[in-house]
Amino acid sequence: MHSRRTFIKLSASVAASVLVQPSAVLGQSDSLAAVVREYAGAASLREGRVKLDIAPLVDNGNSVPIEVTVESPMTDADHVVGIAIFNEKNPQRDVAQFTLGPIAGRAHVATRIRLATTQKLVAVARMSDGSCWTHTVDVLVTLAACIEG
Amino acid sequence: MTVARTLITVPTAAKRGEIIEIRVLIQHPMETGYRRSSEGEMQPRNLIRRFTCKFQEDGTTGSGVHIFSASLYAAVSANPFLTFHARATASGGFVFNWEGDNGFLQSDRAAIRVA
């Protein structure tokens, strides 16, 4: 009787822990989820507040304009501390990491990146209160970077 | 000191408290270290790995106030281009620094007048 009860309790808690995993991280390759997790540290990861802007269909993977905007008042009390961009299938998961503060006034960064193939991109924003927010985007690449040029 | 061409866009004048856009571009191959040359040899990695922007108010000494910094990796395109923002608080100069492989170091400055 006792062991059956513990088994039910255990299986319920396992099911619960699977269910509470953020949906954004599920279904991605392990290493992408792992680097996003590592950047967030102990903070919880939630979807929203950050927006990753990139063309859904990319002709040339060698130079792809990308923008990240975070909803934040950028005051001393509540601002964005860092923004990171990660990819799924380039040789390296890191794309770029930015640190900013209330003096930035607006939490918006833009750059140009390389994409090796059709893949997912994730932007993570870390807030001054310690919370982390993510946005995942799928990008279709027709001409890959790293082959020539 | 390496000399690379840079293109920096900062307004020359702004109102106090205004949020300004800063755009910086630097000439650099950003060689990833994952590519081979036409002879089949691996091309050694040559990246800019760090960019920082500080603001030095006129009449003050020291290294200035941190505005923005970036860690760049192989996935950043050649001739790295960055756009970010700053709140204009006083007249002074923005100091931009790029650091990278093979001892790459470049520094640039752009002045702003705040009324």
Side-chain angles (χ1 to χ4, degrees), chain A residues 52-54 63-68 85 95-98 108-114, chain B residues 24-25 30 68 70-72 75-84:
Chain A
L52 179 67
D53 263 320
I54 188 165
S63 183
V64 188
I66 181 170
E67 282 183 40
V68 181
I85 306 167
V95 176
Q97 291 176 10
F98 310 104
H108 169 262
V109 292
T111 186
R112 293 177 194 150
I113 67 167
R114 295 178 171 128
Chain B
V24 293
L25 178 81
M30 289 297 274
F68 176 82
S71 294
L72 308 179
V76 174
S77 300
N79 306 325
F81 169 72
L82 288 165
T83 305
F84 54 95

